[in-house]
Amino acid sequence: MRRWVLAGLTVAALLPAVQSAQAQSQNASCHNGMSFERWLEDFKRQALTQGISQRTLAAAAPLMTFDQTIVNKDRGGAVFSQTFLEFSDRMIAKYRVASGTQKLQKQKDMFQRIEQQYGVPGPVLVAFWGLETDFGAGIGTLPTLTSVTTLAYDCRRTELFQTQLLAALKIIERGDLTPQQMVGPHAGELGQMQFLPTHYVDYGVDFDGDGRRDLLHSSPDALASAANYLSKVGWIRGQPWLEEVRVPEQMPWDQADLTILLPLSQWAKWGVTYADGRPLPNDASKASLLLPMGRHGPAFLAYPNFRMFTEWNQSLVYSTTAAYFATRLAGAPPIHRGNGTVAPFAMAQIKELQALLARRGHDVGKVDGFLGLKSRQAVKVEQMKLGLPADSYPTPELVERLRAGR
Ligand code: CA
């Protein structure tokens, strides 16, 4: 659950380590010149007023240090953008589908009990489990307290990480984990489902009945906590989330938009069918048409439950991949790869596109080379203005016409 990672992946940072003292004094700028030590004292005083005991603080103290390599990892790291097919091909390799299916069968009773209690089916949980940590195999090895303390003092997202640090201390306070047990990747995510510490506190549950919420070592705890989270943010029991479909040559493409929910009968009328060609039911249940790579790429109906995937991770590429993986684990066949070739856009091209869109007054968020929902919305508006098929996915033709100012 990395809400602040909008898309793509981070690879290990290769930046040289900066002298710690020098870095610390640079960081003091957002704390009115306060040194790390002074800042930490202040933070601990605040924590005491927030229900954290002296005992917990003493136990955590040896790990609440500043580590410049964490900051380097956070700043550096080549981030690269991938299309839905590139990402899903990589993340949903055959072995992943096979081991996910095996996990579902092996712990069938547990998944049934979880679904009974929270309404979220096993395949959905196992999809997130596979994508986040390869089913619990890769939860990270860095001491979370050090990571989160460092990033709380670092100026980039200091407020966010102060909140996460307090939550990490709460996890220790209530006896779920010891400071030493708390390990993960550099940005502080915890356990088999990579929960932020605040989510751990708010949504973590003890499902194996040992009295502790241990989302690192207990897969029942981790999976049930994810189900609890998804149900709290709105998962609707017994409803689908995503279904692959086929789109016709022509239809009102501007209707393919996650903010537009239409009855299946309407999609059927426009010529949308199931992936195998069967007609959609003449049905009033509603769904959005999701074209992650435009009208020539894969096509899905996204039901109201799809929103819970975008709650988990705002990146459309990640959330579509997770939802598609879940359908595979629930028995759906591999995806059709679309009816044409979709030109992949390099990050530099997406950046240029975003700059062109921003110049025309669109809010595309950060010009970061990631094709997020805001950029896609702006693409759609320009496609409509230019009389191009408005499927929200950029084409070389669109970029050229925006460049020419036509
Ligand atoms: Ca437990």
Side-chain angles (χ1 to χ4, degrees), residues 217-233:
H217 309 97
S218 162
S219 50
D221 284 9
L223 291 158
S225 297
N228 182 38
Y229 168 79
L230 293 166
S231 99
K232 291 273 159 60
V233 296

Side-chain angles (χ1 to χ4, degrees), residues 205-215 218 220-221:
V205 294
D206 169 30
F207 203 71
D208 63 12
D210 72 349
R212 294 188 311 123
R213 283 155 275 211
D214 185 348
L215 279 53
S218 162
D221 284 9

Side-chain angles (χ1 to χ4, degrees), residues 222-333:
L223 291 158
S225 297
N228 182 38
Y229 168 79
L230 293 166
S231 99
K232 291 273 159 60
V233 296
W235 187 271
I236 312 159
R237 186 186 287 270
Q239 294 294 307
W241 54 95
L242 192 80
E243 231 164 347
E244 198 197 349
V245 290
R246 243 189 246 184
V247 291
E249 280 292 311
Q250 299 288 343
M251 63 167 282
W253 297 113
D254 60 322
Q255 298 301 297
D257 185 318
L258 283 179
T259 64
I260 300 175
L261 279 161
L262 293 170
L264 296 192
S265 55
Q266 179 61 65
W267 298 119
K269 207 182 284 174
W270 280 324
V272 178
T273 66
Y274 284 120
D276 59 8
R278 278 178 304 126
L280 296 178
N282 192 11
D283 198 311
S285 55
K286 289 185 170 180
S288 304
L289 180 60
L290 170 59
L291 304 173
M293 298 173 69
R295 68 196 190 284
H296 297 303
F300 301 98
L301 284 181
Y303 293 89
N305 269 341
F306 182 73
R307 184 177 61 80
M308 268 45 77
F309 290 86
T310 57
E311 287 282 332
W312 187 287
N313 189 312
Q314 299 167 7
S315 153
L316 188 65
V317 167
Y318 179 101
S319 49
T320 308
T321 298
Y324 164 54
F325 188 17
T327 66
R328 294 290 307 281
L329 294 167

Side-chain angles (χ1 to χ4, degrees), residues 68-110:
Q68 182 60 35
T69 62
I70 298 292
V71 177
N72 295 348
K73 280 201 175 103
D74 196 51
R75 299 258 162 92
V79 175
F80 51 95
S81 161
Q82 295 177 80
T83 66
F84 165 66
L85 279 177
E86 285 166 342
F87 187 70
S88 59
D89 281 350
R90 235 188 87 221
M91 298 308 277
I92 317 180
K94 257 192 196 149
Y95 85 92
R96 271 242 172 85
V97 179
S99 42
T101 307
Q102 212 175 35
K103 305 262 178 212
L104 279 166
Q105 281 162 357
K106 235 172 139 181
Q107 289 166 288
K108 209 171 155 201
D109 292 351
M110 179 193 65

